Amino acid sequence: MTDLAKVPVTIVTGFLGAGKTTLIRHLIQNAGGRRLAVVVNEFGTLGVDGEILKSCAIPDCPAENIVELANGCICCTVAEDFIPTVERLLALEPRPDHILIETSGLALPKPLLKAFDWPAIRSRITVDGVLALADAEAVAEGRFAPDLGALEAQRAADPGIDHETPLAEVFEDQLACADMVLLTKTDLAGPAGVAAARAVIAAEAPRPVPVVEIQEGAIDPRVILGLAAAAEDDLAARPSHHDGADDHEHEDFDSTVVTFGEIADPAELVERIERLAREYKVLRVKGYAAVTGKPMRLLVQAVGSRVRHQYDRPWRPGEPRGTALVAIAEHDHVDARAFRAVLAG
């Protein structure tokens, strides 16, 4: 790559728990000789995703090439965080061949695309493509693509009924901006679920877009890197619910961090997280736990009541052993005291 060539950037978007970090970890481990850099936009104050990615850094993507932005939604902190971060990555020696941006599950991709027109960076980088990850099981259940016609009829009959949830808007905006949709966790959805999810995506996407099924983030990088979409140049073809607005808010969502000591049994923690999703409509829980008698740290990732956990690394010498979990829900459902009571027992 010459110094005059633009560095391609792939934006990885998708709803909470769709598998963005898993995909990027796979790309890091299968870089194919590309020098990668990664920007992770965390929602909440616990840097889980960034640390997961740094733990699998390799020479083609060393830890110093992985940057975490934890000061808020990336599309709302362009001048303060995003532009300086990109400039810092472009100044690396050697310069990255490709930059991956993992947005938070709540980010709207279009405002981020607009940032690529900023004078400081527009001649130096280009959006190679926008990848929207969609959880096949969740989409098949209709969680993020409601029947707008039926809901509008209900709204007309009863003005007190909200016709569209914030989650639906986020999902639809991410689809509208995508150059490719990666349908994840297809093994959990089954053939009927995958077919249903594909039908929803086809109905909601404003233009035909390739849909690729993946599991555990595994996909040949040649399929998703090198799309050369130059997405910043065709914003009009990527409609958004927020077109025409100067900015947007994320007050529909909130998070709280629950910290406490060691746990005795991971299975008991799983039951508590499941209860949190069932009784308090928590969308996402992620973090770490210290298990009594275990030298390894337990990584916890939950989407609704579906909980996954694994030991990811040993506790470091002098590192305080404890448990720290981020819980994310729609704003009106966040109750920090209740969440703590359920999780900490």
Side-chain angles (χ1 to χ4, degrees):
M1 179 182 294
T2 69
D3 288 340
L4 295 179
K6 290 185 177 183
V7 174
V9 177
T10 295
I11 297 174
V12 181
T13 187
F15 199 73
L16 297 166
K20 299 185 297 296
T21 303
T22 302
L23 172 69
I24 292 179
R25 180 169 55 187
H26 174 79
L27 293 175
I28 290 174
Q29 295 171 338
N30 297 273
R34 295 181 182 86
R35 294 188 301 273
L36 298 180
V38 180
V39 178
V40 183
N41 185 208
E42 189 74 272
F43 184 84
T45 58
L46 186 64
V48 176
D49 295 342
E51 188 162 348
I52 291 172
L53 294 175
K54 288 182 179 180
S55 71
C56 60
I58 60 174
D60 286 334
C61 187
E64 57 267 27
N65 284 31
I66 302 173
V67 180
E68 185 175 18
L69 303 181
N71 295 327
C73 172
I74 195 171
C75 53
C76 300
T77 59
V78 169
E80 298 86 350
D81 284 336
F82 177 64
I83 301 299
T85 295
V86 170
E87 290 181 310
R88 187 162 67 252
L89 292 177
L90 293 175
L92 289 172
E93 291 291 343
R95 189 174 70 168
D97 295 322
H98 205 112
I99 298 174
L100 308 174
I101 299 178
E102 177 188 344
T103 70
S104 84
L106 306 178
L108 303 176
K110 192 165 183 179
L112 178 57
L113 286 181
K114 292 179 179 179
F116 283 77
D117 195 41
W118 279 54
I121 63 173
R122 65 187 176 191
S123 64
R124 304 166 68 192
I125 60 176
T126 181
V127 181
D128 181 67
V130 179
L131 307 177
L133 274 66
D135 182 316
E137 187 179 44
V139 175
E141 294 176 359
R143 300 180 199 171
F144 317 127
D147 182 338
L148 299 183
L151 289 174
E152 183 59 28
Q154 289 179 340
R155 182 177 180 270
D158 182 354
I161 295 178
D162 185 9
H163 77 285
E164 185 172 51
T165 69
L167 305 185
E169 284 197 4
V170 173
F171 180 68
E172 290 163 13
D173 276 15
Q174 290 170 349
L175 282 184
C177 225
D179 295 289
M180 184 179 293
V181 175
L182 301 184
L183 201 57
T184 66
K185 305 175 186 176
T186 53
D187 53 328
L188 299 177
V194 169
R198 282 180 169 274
V200 169
I201 291 168
E204 295 296 338
R207 66 188 190 284
V209 59
V211 178
V212 179
E213 300 172 25
I214 65 172
Q215 295 179 22
E216 299 296 337
I219 186 171
D220 188 330
R222 294 174 299 176
V223 175
I224 57 177
L225 302 183
L227 300 181
E232 70 275 17
D233 293 333
D234 71 341
L235 292 178
R238 302 166 191 260
S240 165
H241 286 280
H242 300 81
D243 284 343
D246 292 332
D247 56 17
H248 66 276
E249 302 295 335
H250 291 301
E251 294 178 355
D252 295 313
F253 306 95
D254 204 350
S255 67
T256 186
V257 179
V258 178
T259 59
F260 49 97
E262 297 187 0
I263 64 172
D265 182 6
E268 184 179 346
L269 180 61
V270 168
E271 291 178 358
R272 292 174 179 176
I273 293 173
E274 291 172 345
R275 178 187 165 195
L276 206 63
R278 186 172 60 251
E279 298 182 6
Y280 293 93
K281 299 183 180 180
V282 169
L283 302 170
R284 187 88 159 91
V285 174
K286 54 184 177 178
Y288 305 104
V291 182
T292 301
K294 300 292 185 181
M296 301 282 286
R297 189 180 65 172
L298 187 72
L299 171 66
V300 180
Q301 298 268 17
V303 182
S305 59
R306 191 169 69 227
V307 186
R308 303 178 68 177
H309 58 83
Q310 66 187 64
Y311 292 101
D312 70 326
R313 67 166 175 81
W315 289 96
R316 300 187 179 104
E319 182 180 15
R321 288 175 59 96
T323 300
L325 301 169
V326 174
I328 304 173
E330 292 191 48
H331 182 75
D332 292 343
H333 295 148
V334 173
D335 185 334
R337 182 176 298 179
F339 290 4
R340 179 175 181 79
V342 171
L343 292 174

